[in-house]
Amino acid sequence: MKLDEMKVQYERSRDGFGSESGFEVKEDAPEVKVNASGIAIKLGLCMAVLALAIVIRAFGGGKNEERVAQTSTNVETTGQEPEAGEAIGTLRYVDAGSVRKWNAPVSSNDIELLRDGQLLRFTALGEEVSACMTGKVLSVEHDEQLGNFVRVQSDTDCETIYYGLETVAVQQNGEVHEGDLLGTVSPGRSIYLKVLEKGAPQNPTEYVDLSLGKE
């Protein structure tokens, strides 16, 4: 008997299973199962990491929006101007003092807007006529229809003209402050107010708080 044939018979008698090549194959199947299980575990981990990243990004974006909103709110409530180049959306701080309206020149419960909204008439309840704003007296003159008038100009090129004065208490080139006496008028007579902004006539009701002119 040849040597190869004796080897095959020996392998069969020892293990009860073999091949003519003398190599066993019964351990190959378990190795395939182990590899497939490893791939499944790796895929599971990848999916978990991806889901976690999506959740973190979603919550992180919300926090960023909240911080931007908080910054805008701080600008509104504190009135602090942002640094140059700082992004705060479309919100900007507005000085509330710049839009405060003036006191009326006389106390009145009869107010009328005339001449296409350019002249405001007050029926005086008292005698005193006061300056609506601080400025320089440009001139003291007389109008044939409206009587004596005083022109006052502020340092912002805003001008107020007071018509109907019976007596005048200021002089040209003098300085007056808001509330200072300009002159007098008899109760029941009319005082007229005109407002100019850089030489252009304005609607006086946008500048004067009419509720403060009533008693």
Side-chain angles (χ1 to χ4, degrees), residues 32 38 50 88 93 123 126 194 196:
V32 172
L50 180 61
I88 60 168
Y93 168 70
T123 299
K194 188 171 185 178
L196 303 177

Side-chain angles (χ1 to χ4, degrees), residues 7-8 11 18-24:
K7 182 178 179 181
V8 170
E11 293 290 338
S19 65
E20 292 183 354
S21 63
F23 295 98
E24 297 182 0

Side-chain angles (χ1 to χ4, degrees), residues 56-128:
I56 292 175
R57 183 173 182 178
F59 281 98
K63 291 180 179 179
N64 288 336
E65 294 175 359
E66 182 179 353
R67 284 194 294 267
V68 172
Q70 183 64 38
T71 300
S72 300
T73 301
N74 290 338
V75 171
E76 279 190 319
T77 56
T78 64
Q80 294 179 351
E81 280 283 0
E83 296 294 335
E86 181 180 354
I88 60 168
T90 58
L91 297 178
R92 300 288 297 173
Y93 168 70
V94 177
D95 183 6
S98 64
V99 296
R100 184 183 68 83
K101 290 189 174 182
W102 305 325
N103 292 336
V106 293
S107 296
S108 175
N109 55 12
D110 180 18
I111 303 172
E112 183 180 9
L113 192 60
L114 305 172
R115 295 189 181 180
D116 298 326
Q118 297 182 9
L119 192 67
L120 195 59
R121 182 187 66 81
F122 301 86
T123 299
L125 293 177
E127 295 183 351
E128 294 185 353

